């Protein structure tokens, strides 16, 4: 059955999210799966693949984890979505506020994009200013116009919108200050993630992933201070760092205090939940009792407080705490990095392919000039032959020693082939098309 053809016929790009599309994988990757369990995906023919995609990083414990499933089933039995707020809704909000020092009020949504856009809208309403500063070393914040218009995907967006979103670079304090001077008293907010693996051009190593930048506490502290001095709302997007860098967020790890934070992805182990949370004085602008004064309409969604996802979130949070998931995942990541880099070094390939980044979120560096995507395609193709899907590295609690050894032994075989091909000055043999780049800012 040609599922790829079928998918492309009924869904633009054949998938929901571009990073799931077939052109982001080597062509020998199955185009469709039936189910996931633990760290594995299964096709309808019961073929089993070790997975590092983990539902686009939304699954931090493992697929179909019994405890999380039970919480979701329980919420279904309660009716899932009620006419008035539910006890589960209150409990989820209180769990967040108790856990995150910088969050005094919270609003739920289903997607990360909606949460980040909500944060931006809230900052604009609070400051009554229109411009947005966003860090250009971070590839994605939202599918909404304010963000996409600042990338090279401009179709479908009125031209006038893009002028309100201004890019600044990670580590570039002088550049940031200059922008604030240029748009004096017109900037509502600054949006960024805590870490980056992309090299802030002309200031560092110019490579991706950058060997020198992963997170920079001094820079983050400076950003916080600059925002405070200029009355700019500091928005930290923790979609990726949340439930990975630290259970209390990267903001806790780096000791910073954003005004508003956004979370999603792994917080409910694959169930659809995101949230915007922040300081009461800002979040209160979104209260209906203030809307008469402000005419401000914030996030409002029928399914925003759906109990299935919120109860899955509470169960996920408790599971992380009880099993120290963050620490365990970091240990796995460190072992994976060390093992992979040893193989690469032993084969004399450390300048061509290596594993960089933080142990909680390692990144493979395909350092092969304009052939980097070809090298990535070849590596992914060889890993698929060993039943491993590794488009990026998202570690879950269910990735254990067995999975580590399987990954390292498959990597050894793949890297051996790469080394041999390069030594003979031959082309890497790829079946089908090379992986396509998605985004450039
Ligand atoms: C940092 C960041 N923010 C926001 C989003 C959007 O999240 P979602 O796909 O849930 O809308 C993503 C998605 O990849 C992301 O990586």
């Amino acid at each position: 059955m040609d599922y790829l053809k079928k998918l492309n016929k009924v869904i633009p790009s054949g998938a929901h999210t571009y990073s799931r599309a077939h052109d982001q994988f080597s062509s020998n990757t199955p185009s469709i799966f039936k189910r996931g369990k633990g760290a594995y995906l299964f096709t309808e023919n019961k073929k089993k693949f070790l997975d590092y995609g983990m539902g686009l990083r939304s699954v931090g414990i493992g697929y179909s984890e019994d405890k999380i499933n039970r919480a979701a089933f329980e919420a279904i039995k309660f009716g899932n979505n009620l006419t008035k707020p539910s006890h589960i809704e209150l409990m989820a909000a209180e769990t967040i506020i108790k856990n995150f020092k910088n969050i005094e009020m919270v609003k739920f949504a289903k997607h990360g994009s909606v949460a980040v856009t909500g944060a931006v809208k809230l900052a604009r309403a609070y400051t009554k200013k229109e411009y947005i500063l966003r860090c250009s070393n971070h590839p994605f914040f939202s599918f909404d116009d304010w963000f996409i218009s600042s990338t090279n995907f401009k179709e479908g967006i009125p031209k006038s919108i893009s002028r309100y979103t201004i890019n600044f670079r990670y580590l570039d304090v002088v550049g940031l200050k200059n922008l604030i001077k240029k748009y004096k008293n017109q900037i509502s907010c600054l949006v960024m993630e805590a870490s980056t693996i992309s090299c802030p051009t002309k200031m560092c190593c110019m490579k991706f992933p950058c060997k020198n930048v992963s997170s920079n506490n001094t820079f983050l502290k400076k950003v916080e201070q600059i925002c405070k001095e200029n009355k700019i709302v500091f928005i930290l997007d923790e979609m990726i760092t949340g439930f990975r860098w630290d259970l209390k967020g990267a903001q806790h790890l780096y000791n910073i205090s954003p005004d508003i934070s956004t979370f999603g992805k792994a917080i409910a182990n694959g169930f659809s939940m995101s949230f915007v949370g922040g300081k009461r004085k800002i979040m209160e602008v979104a209260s209906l009792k203030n809307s008469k004064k402000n005419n401000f309409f914030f996030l409002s969604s029928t399914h925003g407080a759906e109990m299935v996802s919120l109860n899955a979130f509470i169960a996920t949070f408790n599971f992380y705490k009880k099993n120290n998931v963050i620490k365990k995942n970091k240990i796995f990541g460190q072992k994976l990095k060390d093992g992979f880099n040893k193989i690469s070094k032993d084969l004399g390939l450390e300048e061509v392919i290596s594993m960089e980044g933080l142990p909680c979120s390692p990144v493979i560096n395909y350092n092969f000039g304009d052939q980097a995507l070809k090298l990535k395609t070849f590596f992914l193709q060889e890993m698929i032959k060993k039943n491993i899907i590794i488009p990026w590295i998202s570690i879950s609690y269910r990735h254990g020693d067995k999975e580590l050894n399987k990954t390292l032994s498959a990597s050894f075989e793949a890297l051996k082939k790469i080394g041999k091909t390069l030594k003979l000055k031959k082309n890497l043999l790829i079946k089908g098309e090379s992986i396509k780049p998605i985004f450039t800012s």
Side-chain angles (χ1 to χ4, degrees):
M1 180 94 55
D2 191 344
Y3 281 116
L4 185 58
K5 218 172 180 179
K6 278 186 166 217
L7 285 164
N8 280 325
K9 193 170 173 196
V10 292
I11 305 169
S13 283
H16 288 83
T17 77
Y18 290 107
S19 45
R20 253 192 203 110
H22 205 61
D23 64 7
Q24 297 304 302
F25 297 81
S26 58
S27 67
N28 60 344
T29 312
S31 48
I32 200 163
F33 286 93
K34 189 162 178 92
R35 67 185 187 93
K37 180 73 188 165
Y40 293 89
L41 290 177
F42 298 83
T43 65
E44 63 178 350
N45 303 323
K46 299 192 171 55
K47 221 175 155 192
K48 184 176 169 182
F49 290 82
L50 172 59
D51 184 32
Y52 282 92
M54 297 312 288
L56 311 186
R57 300 180 194 271
S58 70
V59 179
I61 300 173
Y63 292 113
S64 189
E65 185 67 38
D66 290 345
K67 274 205 171 122
I68 315 304
N69 286 350
R70 271 202 297 277
F73 291 142
E74 196 180 301
I76 288 173
K77 284 195 240 148
F78 288 165
N80 194 30
N81 210 2
L82 311 181
T83 306
K84 291 282 284 172
S86 67
H87 285 281
I88 289 176
E89 185 174 342
L90 176 62
M91 209 189 307
E94 286 177 345
T95 302
I96 290 166
I97 285 151
K98 215 166 142 194
N99 184 55
F100 297 99
K101 148 173 142 308
N102 301 306
I103 298 181
E104 292 173 303
M105 290 184 101
V106 65
K107 195 103 195 222
F108 302 129
K110 306 305 285 177
H111 307 286
S113 280
V114 174
V116 186
T117 294
V120 166
K121 195 175 174 196
L122 182 59
R124 279 174 155 167
Y126 177 72
T127 58
K128 307 217 181 323
K129 291 171 189 170
E130 291 182 323
Y131 282 82
I132 301 157
L133 285 169
R134 77 103 171 158
C135 184
S136 59
N137 291 90
H138 298 137
F140 195 76
F141 288 112
S142 174
F143 57 64
D144 282 314
D145 293 355
W146 68 269
F147 171 71
I148 297 296
S149 66
S150 73
T151 72
N152 59 356
F153 288 73
K154 299 199 188 290
E155 295 288 326
I157 304 172
K159 278 200 178 73
S160 55
I161 288 185
S162 70
R163 79 184 170 102
Y164 292 108
T165 304
I166 316 292
N167 291 346
F168 70 95
R169 300 200 76 87
Y170 200 87
L171 288 192
D172 186 3
V173 176
V174 176
L176 178 60
K177 282 186 173 166
N178 284 341
L179 285 173
I180 292 173
K181 221 185 251 170
K182 183 173 171 190
Y183 295 93
K184 198 168 166 46
N185 293 329
Q186 297 180 79
I187 299 167
S188 60
C189 59
L190 178 149
V191 190
M192 68 183 299
E193 294 179 77
S195 297
T196 184
I197 38 156
S198 134
C199 178
T201 314
K202 294 191 196 121
M203 299 191 63
C204 189
C205 65
M206 314 272 284
K207 286 180 185 151
F208 180 88
C210 178
K211 287 190 183 212
N212 301 320
V213 184
S214 189
S215 331
N216 189 303
N217 176 252
T218 316
F219 178 64
L220 293 170
K221 278 272 181 210
K222 281 229 168 81
V223 168
E224 183 187 326
Q225 187 196 340
I226 291 169
C227 284
K228 207 177 232 168
E229 283 166 8
N230 293 280
K231 296 191 169 42
I232 293 167
V233 174
F234 177 17
I235 301 173
L236 192 72
D237 183 352
E238 294 238 36
M239 223 57 69
I240 289 181
T241 54
F243 279 36
R244 287 204 184 274
W245 269 234
D246 192 286
L247 192 55
K248 291 176 188 287
Q251 53 195 271
H252 176 75
L253 193 66
Y254 302 129
N255 190 25
I256 48 169
S257 302
D259 298 306
I260 306 180
S261 313
T262 53
F263 285 80
K265 295 255 188 209
I267 60 170
N269 198 45
F271 286 87
S272 173
M273 180 193 166
S274 65
F275 66 83
V276 186
K279 298 190 172 146
R280 186 176 302 280
K281 65 176 183 200
I282 303 176
M283 294 296 290
E284 273 284 9
V285 174
S287 288
L288 269 184
K289 64 177 190 291
N290 289 336
S291 72
K292 282 197 194 96
K293 242 184 352 201
N294 294 332
N295 280 334
F296 174 57
F297 196 85
F298 188 40
L299 292 180
S300 172
S301 100
T302 302
H303 297 288
E306 191 191 31
M307 284 190 271
V308 167
S309 303
L310 298 187
N311 219 26
F313 157 71
I314 295 167
T316 302
F317 178 79
N318 291 336
F319 190 103
Y320 267 67
K321 241 182 153 167
K322 187 168 174 218
N323 297 288
N324 212 341
V325 175
I326 304 275
K327 188 173 171 202
K328 189 250 147 210
N329 289 0
K330 282 184 185 177
I331 292 170
F332 181 95
Q334 188 63 57
K335 285 187 192 165
L336 182 65
K337 271 184 75 178
D338 292 346
F340 188 94
N341 287 336
K342 182 171 179 339
I343 293 168
S344 174
K345 193 164 180 234
D346 289 349
L347 292 168
L349 289 171
E350 72 266 38
E351 288 302 316
V352 179
I353 187 163
S354 58
M355 213 177 264
E356 313 291 343
L358 297 169
C360 62
S361 187
V363 184
I364 299 179
N365 180 13
Y366 300 98
N367 186 23
F368 207 40
D370 59 0
Q371 300 285 297
L373 281 175
K374 197 168 176 194
L375 177 62
K376 178 175 178 178
T377 312
F378 184 84
F379 179 71
L380 264 56
Q381 168 187 289
E382 296 308 303
M383 296 298 272
I384 288 288
K385 288 180 187 168
K386 303 283 180 192
N387 295 343
I388 299 173
I389 302 179
I390 189 161
W392 52 84
I393 299 167
S394 179
I395 300 163
S396 81
Y397 184 73
R398 295 297 171 202
H399 285 85
D401 284 346
K402 187 174 118 206
E403 286 71 28
L404 179 73
N405 294 336
K406 184 177 166 69
T407 310
L408 291 177
S409 92
S411 298
F412 176 66
E413 296 300 326
L415 264 58
K416 225 168 48 178
K417 281 193 190 170
I418 292 169
K420 216 167 161 184
T421 311
L422 298 189
K423 207 168 168 189
L424 294 169
K425 294 195 169 30
K426 286 194 172 167
N427 271 331
L428 292 164
L429 282 181
I430 286 170
K431 249 187 133 183
E433 301 265 310
S434 186
I435 290 167
K436 303 275 180 301
I438 320 184
F439 239 62
T440 45
S441 305

